[in-house]
């Protein structure tokens, strides 16, 4: 069986990388940009770091900011209308996963109008055309949406998130500038960083993992483990390490899938608006414990990448325990609450059903029953 790898045609990394946005717009001959960014980034001047460059180069643009932290169908539909009215020929997505996911959905629908109802894009939709060209500028070190073929939209009416997987949504350019991440508060830095760690660990242990993606994921685990604590304290080197680590994790998991942690996390976000990274982080030790006997020797390499010493002298049970403990310790050190007090007993069955129907679940190395998923949710209560 062939293993497919999809990556950005071009990506820029490092301090000051946003300067290249103007160069790329001019090189591609784009005439007007549709700038998609969330309201807080606009309010606090983060978006302006990019729009000031556009102003300086006299590149016209239109700003769209009707984007929620867990982007909704409504955010996409109003974005499609705004794009059509703007006369733009490219999208600059500035923000975390919310801005980039909204931009992907807008870009796909504009290029494939037969999928105007974004619900029709759930799973792997048979789109024919690449989306509107996207230049993705992440402001968080977590989702890696700038290098993935996935986007996640919330159906508020049905209280569920749905995952869309489509190589046609890949941004043509990723601009990963740690300076764009320096305004993240500690809590958001911690949550998005643990989301990135979850991407790396689930991508490394998913059914579709193979040698090339293993290489990405192990390096991502190492970089995140070494840099997240410093990034939470806004250390520039920590920010730079996390910017790279989360991107490398995206290079991997986008091509092989994730697992039950993400399927359960999507469900918590849809039902209770739990921040995605917090949901992933609190579930990670629980899902790792559930999967431990279905991962071969991989937990030894996870433990090693996380800085655990002496793993080669440990038994299988010992290095599996060590890997899970290292994850718990990192999560604790960056201030993640391991419990979720919003979960209600009467919701547990529906939460489990939704998690098992999520597009991320099939990649999990171990099959789960509804009762087992309910038990994992109970461990958060």
């Amino acid at each position: 069986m062939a293993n497919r790898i999809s990556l950005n045609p071009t990506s820029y990394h490092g301090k000051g990388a946003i300067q290249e946005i103007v160069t790329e717009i001019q090189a591609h001959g784009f005439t007007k940009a549709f700038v998609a960014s969330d309201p807080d980034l606009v309010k606090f001047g983060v978006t302006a770091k990019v729009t000031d460059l556009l102003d300086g180069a006299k590149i016209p643009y239109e700003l769209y900011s009707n984007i929620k932290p867990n982007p909704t169908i409504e955010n996409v539909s109003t974005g499609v209308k705004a794009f059509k009215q703007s006369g733009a020929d490219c999208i600059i997505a500035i923000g975390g996963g919310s801005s980039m996911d909204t931009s992907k959905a807008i870009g796909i629908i504009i290029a494939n109008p037969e999928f105007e109802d974004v619900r029709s894009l759930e799973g792997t939709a048979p789109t024919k055309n690449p989306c509107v060209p996207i230049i993705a500028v992440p402001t968080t070190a977590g989702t890696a949406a700038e290098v993935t073929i996935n986007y996640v939209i919330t159906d508020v009416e049905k209280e569920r998130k749905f995952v869309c997987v489509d190589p046609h949504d890949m941004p043509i350019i990723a601009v990963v500038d740690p300076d764009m991440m320096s305004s993240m508060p500690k809590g958001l830095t911690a949550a998005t960083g643990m989301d990135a760690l979850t991407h790396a660990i689930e991508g490394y242990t998913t059914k579709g993992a193979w040698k090339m993606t293993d290489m990405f994921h192990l390096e991502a685990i190492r970089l995140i483990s070494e840099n997240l604590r410093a990034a939470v304290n806004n250390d520039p080197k920590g920010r730079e390490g996390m910017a790279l680590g989360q991107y490398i994790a995206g290079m991997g998991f986008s091509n092989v899938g994730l697992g039950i942690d993400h399927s359960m996390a999507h469900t918590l976000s849809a039902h209770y608006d739990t921040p995605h990274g917090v949901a992933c982080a609190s579930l990670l030790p629980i899902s790792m414990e559930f999967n431990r006997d279905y991962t071969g020797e991989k937990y030894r390499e996870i433990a090693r990448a996380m800085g655990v010493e002496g793993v080669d002298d440990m038994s299988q049970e010992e290095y599996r325990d060590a890997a899970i403990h290292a994850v718990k310790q990192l999560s604790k050190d960056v201030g993640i609450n391991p419990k979720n007090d919003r979960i209600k007993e009467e919701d547990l069955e529906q939460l489990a059903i939704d998690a098992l129907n999520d597009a991320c679940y099939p990649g999990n190395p171990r099959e789960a029953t509804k009762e087992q998923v309910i038990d994992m949710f109970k461990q958060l209560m």
Side-chain angles (χ1 to χ4, degrees):
M1 185 183 74
N3 293 297
R4 184 186 70 185
I5 291 286
S6 297
L7 301 171
N8 305 114
T10 303
S11 64
Y12 293 94
H13 301 266
K15 184 179 176 65
I18 59 169
Q19 301 289 333
E20 302 297 336
I21 294 171
V22 169
T23 305
E24 287 289 346
I25 288 175
Q26 293 171 339
H28 283 81
F30 298 137
T31 58
K32 186 176 183 181
F34 185 81
V35 177
S37 192
D38 74 58
D40 284 342
L41 293 175
V42 174
K43 178 180 177 181
F44 294 111
V46 179
T47 307
K49 292 180 180 180
V50 174
T51 56
D52 285 351
L53 294 173
L54 301 180
D55 288 333
K58 295 183 169 50
I59 295 170
Y61 63 89
E62 183 150 327
L63 179 62
Y64 175 73
S65 61
N66 181 26
I67 298 172
K68 293 182 178 179
N70 290 307
T72 65
I73 292 171
E74 187 268 340
N75 295 152
V76 175
S77 61
T78 59
V80 168
K81 291 176 186 174
F83 184 91
K84 288 177 179 178
Q85 293 168 1
S86 72
D89 53 5
C90 68
I91 298 173
I92 303 177
I94 305 168
S98 55
S99 295
M100 290 187 278
D101 283 5
T102 305
S103 296
K104 288 177 176 182
I106 292 169
I108 283 288
I109 291 170
I110 292 293
N112 301 272
E114 66 272 27
F115 293 95
E116 185 176 4
D117 180 357
V118 69
R119 292 184 187 91
S120 67
L121 291 161
E122 181 174 3
T124 53
T127 59
K128 300 290 191 296
N129 304 311
C131 74
V132 173
I134 297 173
I135 300 173
V137 188
T139 60
T140 64
T143 68
E146 70 274 14
V147 68
T148 70
I149 59 172
N150 316 309
Y151 55 101
V152 183
I153 304 298
T154 299
D155 186 334
V156 176
E157 183 183 338
K158 296 182 179 179
E159 289 191 325
R160 63 184 293 267
K161 278 187 169 186
F162 56 93
V163 181
C164 306
V165 183
D166 188 348
H168 284 143
D169 71 37
M170 175 74 75
I172 62 165
I173 299 159
V175 181
V176 188
D177 187 334
D179 282 354
M180 292 295 291
M181 304 169 184
S182 62
S183 63
M184 273 196 297
K186 285 188 174 184
L188 183 60
T189 302
T192 55
M194 290 301 295
D195 182 23
L197 182 66
T198 307
H199 289 156
I201 289 176
E202 283 206 292
Y204 182 53
T205 56
T206 194
K207 289 176 181 175
W210 63 291
K211 284 187 177 182
M212 185 180 288
T213 57
D214 286 354
M215 173 183 69
F216 295 147
H217 291 132
L218 287 173
E219 180 62 8
I221 293 168
R222 185 187 69 79
L223 283 166
I224 294 163
S225 300
E226 289 180 356
N227 290 285
L228 181 55
R229 294 175 180 88
V232 167
N233 291 317
N234 212 21
D235 173 82
K237 287 187 177 179
R239 290 282 189 206
E240 192 164 355
M242 281 303 302
L244 184 59
Q246 65 88 34
Y247 181 88
I248 293 173
M251 293 169 73
F253 87 82
S254 173
N255 289 288
V256 294
L258 292 165
I260 201 164
D261 182 299
H262 264 75
S263 70
M264 293 174 69
H266 289 154
T267 303
L268 289 177
S269 295
H271 280 262
Y272 308 117
D273 213 25
T274 304
H276 176 67
V278 173
C280 286
S282 59
L283 285 163
L284 187 52
I286 295 169
S287 61
M288 288 179 71
E289 187 66 45
F290 178 75
N291 288 329
R292 62 183 292 155
D293 293 336
Y294 295 76
T295 56
E297 299 179 350
K298 288 199 166 185
Y299 279 31
R300 180 182 61 205
E301 302 312 314
I302 292 171
R304 193 194 312 277
M306 294 193 72
V308 176
E309 296 181 356
V311 292
D312 290 324
D313 296 324
M314 294 180 183
S315 68
Q316 189 173 70
E317 291 304 301
E318 287 172 337
Y319 65 63
R320 286 174 175 171
D321 286 340
I324 295 168
H325 175 75
V327 167
K328 287 181 178 178
Q329 189 62 54
L330 178 57
S331 191
K332 180 180 178 181
D333 289 350
V334 298
I336 298 289
N337 184 353
K339 299 297 180 182
N340 188 325
D341 58 10
R342 300 189 67 181
I343 299 174
K344 299 174 184 176
E345 188 81 28
E346 59 268 28
D347 294 343
L348 287 171
E349 183 167 354
Q350 190 60 51
L351 291 174
I353 291 170
D354 289 352
L356 290 171
N357 286 327
D358 186 89
C360 290
Y361 167 68
N364 201 64
R366 179 184 180 185
E367 300 295 320
T369 64
K370 183 175 70 175
E371 290 69 30
Q372 287 169 327
V373 179
I374 288 172
D375 179 67
M376 284 190 276
F377 276 124
K378 281 183 175 179
Q379 292 178 53
L380 291 179
M381 297 173 68

